[in-house]
């Protein structure tokens, strides 16, 4: 079962040239394309990052869960030497109607999102962001975000929420340092702050939180930096995701808060 939006997303194809690579952005329109996204997700999360995915995922080589049928799946392809487009990036997008049919957002299992209740009718959830290791120069993420901006305008949506993950492969110290460096500047107002259902036990960071003049702590994931530069806010301390062995920071970006330098790129003339 595909999301009802998979065949009705207007202006679904766009071309980009980033870092010397020609990129094409589309929305998945068939089961095979969703499976390709799930295969890339499995490669990144299960193979590269060591997530403890369930047995069916290991057997199939697909990262799939119960939310996928209710989501729209955004894909970025690059030209390859074989002539066949290579899938190099993906996001899944859970729009308000899909969330209602799914019984909520994926993030509801990690956080008490009650403070965001008033925003939910015009909010989408982003998840499962991943980029092929050979294409992590920022171009793929920019192409994905441009498509997301058009998607939100077409549906009159105002808010993006989601979880940004920090690997715990080396222990919780790096995640602690990142949180301590970011929350003084980027923590949302109290009315928007959420509570983690399984909080990460924060300890004493063993790496510097940041230089006094630095904006981000060492080892802050590029995706988190990108969200915050765009105008996103942290909604509270990280949750522990045992299956993916990550610290998950709750993040929210409202289009009204989009930084001016990104507004035209993501929203065109709007």
């Amino acid at each position: 079962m595909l999301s009802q939006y998979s065949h009705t997303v207007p202006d679904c194809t766009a071309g980009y040239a980033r870092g010397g690579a020609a990129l094409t952005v589309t929305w998945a329109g068939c089961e095979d394309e969703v499976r390709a996204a799930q295969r890339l997700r499995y490669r990144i999360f299960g193979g590269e990052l060591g997530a403890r995915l369930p047995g069916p995922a290991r057997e199939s080589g697909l990262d799939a869960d119960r939310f996928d049928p209710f989501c729209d799946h955004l894909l970025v392809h690059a030209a390859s030497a074989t002539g066949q487009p290579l899938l190099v990036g993906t996001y899944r997008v859970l729009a308000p109607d899909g969330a209602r049919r799914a019984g909520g957002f994926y993030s509801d299992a990690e956080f008490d999102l009650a403070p965001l209740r008033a925003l939910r009718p015009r909010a989408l959830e982003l998840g499962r962001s991943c980029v092929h290791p050979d294409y992590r120069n920022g171009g793929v993420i920019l192409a994905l975000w441009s498509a997301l901006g058009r998607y939100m305008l077409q549906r009159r949506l105002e808010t993006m929420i989601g979880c940004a993950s920090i690997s715990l492969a080396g222990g919780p110290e790096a995640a602690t340092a990142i949180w301590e460096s970011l929350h003084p500047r980027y923590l949302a107002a109290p009315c928007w702050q959420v509570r983690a259902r399984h909080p990460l036990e924060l300890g004493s960071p063993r790496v510097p939180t940041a230089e006094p003049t630095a904006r981000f702590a060492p080892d802050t994931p590029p995706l988190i930096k990108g969200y915050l530069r765009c105008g996103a806010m942290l909604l509270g301390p990280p949750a522990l995701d045992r299956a993916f062995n990550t610290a998950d920071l709750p993040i929210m970006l409202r289009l009204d808060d989009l930084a001016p330098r990104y507004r035209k790129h993501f929203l065109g003339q709007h």
Side-chain angles (χ1 to χ4, degrees), residues 168-194:
L168 295 175
E173 291 79 18
T176 298
I178 291 168
W179 162 250
E180 290 187 353
S181 73
L182 295 179
H183 78 77
R185 180 182 302 205
Y186 297 107
L187 186 62
C191 63
W192 302 124
Q193 291 176 27
V194 303

Side-chain angles (χ1 to χ4, degrees), residues 60-182:
S60 65
L62 303 174
D63 167 46
D65 67 14
R66 75 173 190 87
F67 288 92
D68 278 324
F70 303 99
C71 293
D72 290 318
H73 299 266
L74 186 54
L75 313 174
V76 177
H77 289 89
S80 71
T82 66
Q84 294 295 320
L86 174 67
L87 181 63
V88 297
T90 185
Y91 251 126
R92 76 176 186 188
V93 180
L94 187 56
D97 182 67
R100 285 190 291 271
R101 291 185 289 116
F105 289 133
Y106 177 92
S107 303
D108 282 308
E110 292 198 81
F111 300 94
D112 178 359
L113 299 181
L116 308 183
R117 184 180 297 111
L119 302 178
R120 291 180 77 127
R122 300 182 72 177
L124 61 77
E125 181 185 54
L126 301 178
R128 292 301 204 271
S129 169
C130 62
V131 177
H132 189 289
D134 294 340
Y135 290 82
R136 292 175 184 165
N137 58 5
V140 173
I141 287 295
L142 287 175
L144 288 165
W145 285 353
S146 294
L148 287 170
R150 293 194 302 275
Y151 182 102
M152 293 185 71
L153 291 175
Q154 290 157 1
R155 284 159 182 74
R156 300 183 182 278
L157 301 177
E158 298 175 344
T159 306
M160 293 182 276
I161 65 169
C163 300
S165 298
I166 304 167
S167 174
L168 295 175
E173 291 79 18
T176 298
I178 291 168
W179 162 250
E180 290 187 353
S181 73
L182 295 179

Side-chain angles (χ1 to χ4, degrees), residues 5-6 31 44 52 77 110 146 161 170 173 192 230 241 266:
Y5 299 113
S6 297
E31 291 286 354
I44 303 302
R52 295 186 287 270
H77 289 89
E110 292 198 81
S146 294
I161 65 169
E173 291 79 18
W192 302 124
C230 285
D241 186 330
F266 295 142

Side-chain angles (χ1 to χ4, degrees), residues 212-254:
T213 58
R215 190 170 182 181
F216 301 108
D219 300 324
T220 302
L223 188 61
I224 294 179
K225 293 180 183 178
Y227 284 141
L228 298 177
R229 285 175 177 138
C230 285
M233 298 175 285
L234 303 178
L235 298 178
L240 172 63
D241 186 330
R242 295 185 185 277
F244 280 79
N245 194 33
T246 57
D248 289 352
L249 281 170
I251 284 185
M252 175 175 75
L253 174 61
R254 305 182 71 186

